[in-house]
């Protein structure tokens, strides 16, 4: 190989390290041709010599050259199922190097020529092949065209700059299958595909599993509403995900992937924003990111932000205006270490504090954005997360071991003056202190023969303390103090393999052992709930057929569950309720088409049927005290469809719809579902429409215009004789103009363009819910202007 300029131990340049040779002896016969072969590539951004060495190992092809210098040159991250030519083209883009295929077993890396010896006529160079969409939430780096299920991938680099200044809930408004409550920032429940248990926040486990990278964020608390500054992508998997994610994933999972620290140079970004709300107070946001390489094997990346959302609700009883303002402050810090090729160690810390001065509901009988109450009803949330992740890549095999620790403390106050006939200002306080420890170690396999799989172990340890107090504002008395602990230990695995031409089968299962206990301090007495132990098996099976690279048909069965617990409600904790685990089985069938990058129209249609046993629901009694109980068995069935059309390369039109029916088919003994047995908070019909046009300008500048409509059908607040209160049934319009370039992007955004004041949610204060006069109007028309700057 010395004649090709490859590795030679007698070469003094190689001994000194001034010029690095990156070649791996390939076990490839002379007859082998790799031009059309595809390989499963997973290489992060790293120094060029290490990147080429890693690619050589993952493909089994000898790659190298004597011109490669390790000094200060880093390659792009490359992931996906690619040919060697595609992988090298993406990896070397912008480095000043190019690759040349020498023969059937050798690829040479050399400096790109910068001298033109003869005049040439420039040719139109086609764009590089579009990067494949990888569903990393599958835990197998499965490409979207192979994934037998419904997945949504938001690549934040392809979203408008304004999307980075939104919360998760703002981003998810693009999906008609998403709905939720509207209590306010950091206290809402998000529901996917009609899987909604209740409108109240209580002791039941979340129906969605939320992740930040590899760290589980939530077990039995609402969405912490983390802001999306400096995020790489957001992944959503619909339907029960019990096999891969365990308890609390009945509706699906949401995975936020932050941008990783990079060793290829100092980088910085800035996001200032100002907003004006009609009939409300102004708001602002400021965020910044700094990426600092430590050396060629380590880097640190930090994000800090502060945001104020102006209030728009008035309180006539106290003579106050714009009472529901919210302050959000956060910090995210990540460190990445790559001590050796294919090894990566990530450490991350996140903190976010959310303070809302008062609730955002109004009351009928007053002007649209007004209510009357005796006391303020604030809410605050303190969220902290610490994570450690280690990964090793052997090409077709990848090991991941991740540990996360979350602290989530929240405090809510409600006006309970109705208990005293509104003669004494009375407060009901509910405080929750949650500590969530999670760990997972897994080994994933993926190869060019279409075989993929994952197997692993996991552990979750959740501790939830709920403290309730009641009384005059300056003389609160304790009602109850409940501490619930849940530990889950699991073994899981899932594998996909071809069975016929174009047909793949998927089988998997998760065995879970659960231990739970509760300690209750009620008034003067202390009771201890005996420890409970149970086991669950959560299977999944799927069959998919890909007639070509442009489409996929699949059928799938999935199961999910939530663990049980206890609920203490009433004055002095007079009611102690033991609620059981619930479970859901879902059958779905779907089709996706237009998966090739050049397809002008792409879309999907999915139909599903879910059977939900022993549904857990957070409710309130006739006086307004919270409680959790099993309300019976239910059924949900529906269809979702979306289409993305590119009438030209610079224009995109998207349309989505979701239709479903849900009902409580078998109420639990003693539970009265009322006249309407529909499950709460899910409209029978939802739709979304958006059109986007890009206008190229001089140089690297461009202009984007975007307009969208979202329709949310009518639903009801809850299930039961006192909770079948109508809400929803409205259309909201948004518009965006973005002017961008290589470093600066300016945007103007208008939310609720028509200034609709329709009731989005019929709850704000559980102690007056029986009056049926609470409404939560949409935030009035809000005009925002901001920019994103990169340095």
């Amino acid at each position: 190989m010395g004649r090709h300029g490859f590795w030679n131990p007698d070469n003094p340049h190689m001994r000194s390290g001034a010029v690095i040779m990156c070649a791996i002896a390939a076990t490839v016969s002379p007859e082998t041709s790799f031009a059309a072969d595809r390989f499963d590539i997973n290489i992060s951004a790293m120094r060029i010599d290490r990147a080429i060495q890693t690619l050589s190992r993952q493909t089994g092809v000898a790659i190298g050259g004597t011109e490669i210098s390790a000094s200060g040159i880093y390659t792009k991250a490359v992931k996906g199922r690619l040919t060697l030519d595609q992988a090298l083209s993406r990896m070397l883009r912008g480095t000043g190097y190019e690759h040349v295929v020498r023969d059937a077993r050798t690829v040479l890396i050399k400096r790109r020529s910068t001298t033109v010896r003869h005049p040439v006529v420039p040719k139109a160079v086609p764009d590089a092949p579009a990067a494949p969409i990888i569903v990393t939430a599958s835990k197998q780096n499965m490409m979207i065209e192979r994934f037998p299920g419904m997945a949504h991938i938001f690549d934040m680099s392809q979203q408008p700059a304004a999307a980075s200044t939104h919360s998760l809930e703002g981003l998810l408004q693009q999906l008609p299958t998403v709905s939720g409550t509207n209590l306010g920032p950091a206290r809402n429940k998000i529901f996917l595909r009609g899987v909604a248990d209740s409108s109240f926040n209580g002791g039941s486990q979340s129906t969605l599993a939320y992740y930040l990278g590899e760290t589980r964020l939530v077990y039995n608390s609402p969405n912490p509403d983390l802001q999306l500054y400096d995020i790489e992508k957001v992944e959503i998997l619909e339907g029960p995900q019990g096999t891969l994610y365990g308890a609390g994933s009945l509706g699906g999972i949401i995975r936020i992937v932050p941008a990783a620290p990079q060793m290829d140079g100092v980088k910085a970004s800035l996001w200032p924003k100002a907003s004006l709300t009609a009939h409300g107070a102004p708001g602002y946001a400021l965020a910044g990111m700094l990426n600092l390489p430590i050396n060629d094997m380590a880097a640190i990346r930090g994000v800090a932000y502060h945001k104020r959302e102006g209030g728009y609700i008035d309180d006539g009883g106290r003579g106050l205006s714009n009472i529901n303002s919210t302050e959000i402050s956060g910090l995210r810090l990540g460190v990445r270490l790559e001590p050796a090729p294919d090894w990566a160690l990530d450490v991350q810390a996140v903190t976010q504090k959310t303070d809302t001065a008062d609730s955002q509901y109004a009351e009928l009988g007053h002007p649209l954005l007004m209510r009357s109450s005796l006391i303020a009803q604030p809410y605050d949330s303190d969220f902290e997360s610490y994570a450690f992740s280690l990964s090793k890549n052997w090409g077709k095999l990848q090991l991941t071991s991740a540990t996360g620790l979350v602290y989530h403390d929240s405090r809510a106050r409600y006006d309970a003056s109705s208990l005293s006939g509104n003669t004494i200002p009375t407060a009901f306080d509910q405080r929750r202190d949650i500590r969530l420890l999670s760990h997972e170690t897994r080994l994933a396999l993926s190869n060019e023969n279409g075989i993929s799989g994952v197997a692993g172990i996991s552990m979750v340890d959740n501790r939830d303390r709920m403290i309730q107090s009641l009384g005059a504002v300056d003389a609160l008395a304790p009602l109850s103090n409940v501490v619930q602990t849940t530990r889950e230990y699991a073994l899981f695995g899932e594998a996909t393999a071809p069975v016929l031409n174009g047909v793949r089968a998927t089988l998997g299962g998760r065995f879970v052992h659960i231990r739970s206990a509760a300690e209750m301090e009620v008034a003067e007495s202390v009771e201890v709930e005996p420890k409970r132990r149970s086991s669950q098996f959560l299977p999944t099976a799927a069959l998919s057929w890909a007639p070509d690279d442009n489409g996929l048909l699949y059928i799938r069965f999935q199961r999910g569950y939530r663990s049980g617990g206890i609920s203490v409600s009433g004055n002095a904790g007079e009611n102690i309720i033991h609620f059981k685990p619930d479970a859901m089985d879902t059958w779905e069938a779907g089709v996706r088409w237009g998966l090739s990058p050049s397809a002008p129209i792409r879309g999907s249609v999915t139909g599903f049927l879910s059977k939900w046993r022993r549904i857990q629901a957070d409710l309130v009694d006739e006086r307004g005290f919270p409680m959790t109980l099993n309300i019976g068995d239910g059924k949900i069935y529906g269809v979702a469809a979306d289409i993305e059309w590119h009438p030209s390369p610079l224009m995109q039109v998207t349309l989505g719809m979701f239709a479903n029916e849900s009902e409580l088919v078998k109420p639990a003994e003693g539970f009265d579902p009322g006249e309407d047995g529909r499950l709460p908070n899910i409209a029978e019909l939802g739709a979304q429409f958006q059109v986007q046009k890009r206008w190229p300008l001089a140089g690297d500048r461009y202009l984007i215009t975007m307009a969208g409509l979202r329709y949310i059908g009518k639903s009801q607040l809850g299930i039961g004789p006192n909770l079948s209160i109508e809400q929803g049934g409205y259309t909201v319009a948004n518009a965006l103009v973005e002017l961008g370039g290589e470093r600066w992007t300016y945007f103007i955004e208008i939310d609720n363009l028509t200034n609709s004041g329709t009731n989005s949610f019929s709850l704000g204060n559980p102690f007056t819910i029986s009056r049926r006069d609470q409404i939560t109007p949409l935030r009035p028309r809000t005009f925002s202007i901001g920019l994103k700057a990169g340095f």
Side-chain angles (χ1 to χ4, degrees):
M1 295 177 61
R3 61 188 179 89
H4 295 296
F6 277 50
W7 181 258
N8 180 356
D10 297 326
N11 188 322
H13 293 290
M14 296 181 180
R15 288 201 310 267
S16 65
V19 177
I20 306 296
M21 199 327 269
C22 298
I24 302 296
T27 56
V28 183
S29 65
E31 294 79 13
T32 300
S33 174
F34 48 75
D37 291 346
R38 290 183 176 267
F39 305 91
D40 291 299
I41 309 299
N42 188 351
I43 303 173
S44 59
M46 62 178 68
R47 204 174 64 194
I48 185 171
D49 58 320
R50 296 172 59 211
I52 293 175
Q53 188 179 19
T54 302
L55 180 63
S56 183
R57 276 198 299 271
Q58 292 185 9
T59 59
V61 175
I63 310 170
T66 57
E67 297 182 354
I68 301 172
S69 169
S71 175
I73 297 180
Y74 284 75
T75 63
K76 305 287 186 182
V78 180
K79 295 182 181 180
R81 187 168 176 76
L82 309 169
T83 65
L84 186 63
D85 181 70
Q86 290 173 333
L88 282 167
S89 295
R90 293 174 189 170
M91 176 184 291
L92 299 176
R93 193 179 303 158
T95 64
Y97 286 87
E98 61 184 352
H99 67 281
V100 177
V101 178
R102 296 290 296 268
D103 53 42
R105 59 183 298 171
T106 308
V107 175
L108 175 67
I109 307 299
K110 68 185 189 69
R111 292 188 184 276
R112 188 181 300 275
S113 175
T114 58
T115 303
V116 179
R117 299 183 181 276
H118 304 283
V120 296
V121 178
K123 297 181 179 180
V125 180
D127 292 335
I133 300 176
I134 306 296
V135 186
T136 56
S138 67
K139 299 187 178 181
Q140 303 162 62
N141 286 332
M142 189 176 292
M143 290 188 296
I144 188 70
E145 57 262 33
R146 288 187 180 183
F147 181 71
M150 181 53 66
H152 306 278
I153 313 296
F154 290 96
D155 182 344
M156 298 304 291
S157 68
Q158 301 301 311
Q159 293 287 313
S164 297
T165 69
H166 293 169
S167 66
L168 175 64
E169 293 175 20
L171 180 71
L172 295 181
Q173 289 181 5
Q174 299 182 41
L175 300 178
T177 54
V178 174
S179 61
T181 62
N182 194 13
L183 286 167
R187 62 190 307 192
N188 290 326
K189 290 183 174 181
I190 297 178
F191 305 124
L192 263 177
R193 198 191 274 184
V195 182
D197 53 357
S198 67
S199 300
F200 306 91
N201 291 329
S204 68
Q205 192 174 359
S206 171
T207 61
L208 285 179
Y210 300 84
Y211 281 77
L212 182 66
E214 297 290 343
T215 304
R216 182 161 190 163
L217 301 179
V218 165
Y219 191 82
N220 57 346
S221 61
N223 167 35
D225 207 25
L226 298 182
Q227 305 299 293
L228 298 183
Y229 296 106
D230 199 41
I231 296 298
E232 177 184 331
K233 64 179 177 178
V234 178
E235 297 180 305
I236 299 99
L237 302 186
E238 292 188 7
Q241 303 294 324
T243 299
L244 293 181
Y245 288 92
S249 57
L250 297 181
I253 70 105
I254 297 176
R255 182 170 179 260
I256 303 170
V257 182
Q262 298 178 7
M263 296 79 153
D264 58 346
V266 177
K267 295 184 174 74
S269 295
L270 190 67
W271 295 267
K273 175 182 173 180
S275 60
L276 292 174
T277 297
H279 313 294
Y284 62 87
L286 180 63
M289 180 278 294
L290 182 62
N291 182 94
L292 292 174
I294 299 173
N295 52 39
D296 61 358
M297 295 187 296
I300 185 170
R301 192 180 188 104
V303 180
Y305 53 87
H306 180 77
K307 180 178 184 179
R308 177 182 174 82
E309 296 182 352
Y312 53 90
I313 297 293
D314 300 336
D315 192 321
R318 294 181 290 148
L320 301 175
S321 300
N322 304 328
I323 60 175
N324 61 314
S325 62
T326 298
E327 303 272 353
I328 302 174
S329 299
L331 176 67
R332 185 171 72 245
L333 189 65
V335 178
R336 165 162 286 194
L337 176 65
E338 296 178 356
D342 303 320
W343 282 96
L345 172 65
D346 288 287
V347 180
Q348 181 176 260
V350 177
T351 179
Q352 179 172 296
K353 184 176 180 60
T354 304
D355 292 314
T356 300
D358 212 327
S359 296
Q360 62 184 32
Y361 73 98
E363 292 174 337
L364 298 174
H366 295 274
L368 178 61
L369 300 173
M370 181 179 287
R371 71 167 187 263
S372 181
S373 52
L374 294 182
I375 65 172
Q377 301 174 75
Y379 176 84
D380 65 87
S381 166
D382 296 331
F383 180 89
E384 296 179 15
S385 171
Y386 306 94
F388 171 93
S389 177
L390 179 67
S391 63
K392 166 64 176 173
N393 194 332
W394 289 281
K396 300 176 182 179
L397 283 174
Q398 184 173 12
L399 173 70
T400 302
S401 183
T403 301
L405 178 63
V406 170
Y407 295 98
H408 191 183
D409 301 338
S410 62
R411 288 156 293 278
R413 169 166 288 185
Y414 299 99
D415 185 352
S417 302
S418 60
L419 298 177
S420 65
N422 290 316
T423 59
I424 302 174
T426 305
F428 174 80
D429 282 8
Q430 181 169 284
R431 174 178 175 177
R432 297 186 71 178
D433 298 330
I434 296 173
R435 190 267 295 141
L436 172 61
L437 175 66
S438 61
H439 174 81
E440 179 173 295
T441 296
R442 65 179 185 267
L443 187 64
L445 166 70
S446 180
N447 65 25
E448 61 273 14
N449 297 322
I451 299 174
S452 65
V454 61
I457 59 173
S458 76
M459 181 277 296
V460 173
D461 185 335
N462 186 73
R463 182 180 182 273
D464 180 6
R465 178 186 291 274
M466 182 182 293
I467 302 173
Q468 297 176 345
S469 305
L470 177 70
V473 175
D474 57 352
L476 290 174
L479 289 182
S480 63
N481 186 337
V482 181
V483 179
Q484 299 193 66
T485 58
T486 305
R487 294 184 179 91
E488 298 182 9
Y489 306 92
L491 297 171
F492 66 91
E494 182 178 295
T496 299
V499 292
L500 294 172
N501 186 26
V503 178
R504 294 183 176 88
T506 300
L507 285 174
R510 186 184 194 97
F511 179 77
V512 187
H513 181 70
I514 308 108
R515 299 179 182 179
S516 60
E519 296 180 358
M520 301 175 290
E521 182 178 334
V522 182
E524 297 289 331
S525 63
V526 176
E527 301 182 22
V528 177
E529 173 73 3
K531 293 182 178 179
R532 295 185 179 185
R533 301 189 180 199
S534 62
S535 298
Q536 294 270 356
F537 181 69
L538 308 171
T540 188
L543 200 63
S544 63
W545 175 50
D548 51 37
D549 291 336
N550 199 46
L552 180 77
L553 293 89
Y554 70 90
I555 56 174
R556 184 160 192 153
F557 168 80
Q558 299 179 97
R559 176 175 293 170
Y561 86 103
R562 296 187 295 175
S563 57
I566 65 168
S567 171
V568 178
S569 69
N571 198 350
E574 58 197 11
N575 297 319
I576 299 175
I577 302 168
H578 302 267
F579 59 93
K580 299 177 181 178
D582 61 356
M584 175 177 287
D585 289 342
T586 295
W587 295 262
E588 80 176 76
V591 57
R592 290 198 294 272
W593 69 90
L595 299 178
S596 67
S598 59
I601 300 178
R602 64 191 65 176
S604 67
V605 178
T606 304
F608 65 91
L609 169 64
S610 298
K611 293 186 176 181
W612 197 351
R613 303 183 301 278
R614 301 180 303 276
I615 299 173
Q616 296 174 14
D618 297 320
L619 304 174
V620 295
D621 63 20
E622 64 277 3
R623 293 168 298 175
F625 289 107
M627 60 181 180
T628 304
L629 67 159
N630 299 97
I631 63 174
D633 297 342
K635 179 175 66 175
I636 308 170
Y637 58 93
V639 61
D642 64 81
I643 294 176
E644 180 181 306
W645 175 41
H646 293 263
S648 73
L650 300 177
M651 187 174 182
Q652 176 179 300
V653 179
T654 60
L655 176 65
M657 63 80 62
F658 175 59
N660 86 112
E661 289 282 349
S662 65
E663 59 179 325
L664 190 68
V665 296
K666 185 180 178 182
E669 184 177 353
F671 177 73
D672 181 5
E675 296 181 0
D676 193 337
R678 286 183 299 162
L679 296 181
N681 259 299
I682 302 299
E684 293 183 351
L685 181 65
Q688 178 268 339
F689 171 80
Q690 182 175 282
V691 57
Q692 175 179 321
K693 179 66 183 293
R694 183 184 180 98
W695 312 80
L697 302 177
D700 63 354
R701 292 184 293 275
Y702 63 87
L703 179 71
I704 289 178
T705 56
M706 180 187 297
L709 291 172
R710 188 174 189 233
Y711 171 74
I712 295 90
K714 292 183 178 181
S715 63
Q716 64 179 28
L717 175 68
I719 186 167
N722 299 320
L723 300 177
S724 56
I725 305 171
E726 192 173 89
Q727 58 190 18
Y730 61 89
T731 300
V732 62
N734 303 302
L736 170 74
V737 176
E738 180 175 297
L739 175 64
E742 181 179 359
R743 294 184 177 273
W744 300 84
T745 302
Y746 304 87
F747 64 86
I748 297 173
E749 186 177 29
I750 305 177
D751 294 318
N752 193 2
L753 192 62
T754 62
N755 203 29
S756 171
T758 309
N759 176 30
S760 65
F761 187 54
S762 295
L763 173 66
N765 180 8
F767 291 96
T768 57
I769 194 69
S770 60
R771 300 199 312 230
R772 307 173 73 90
D773 64 350
Q774 298 179 28
I775 62 172
T776 305
L778 296 172
R779 173 177 282 274
R781 183 190 299 116
T782 299
F783 175 89
S784 301
I785 184 169
L787 68 89
K788 177 184 178 182
F791 308 97

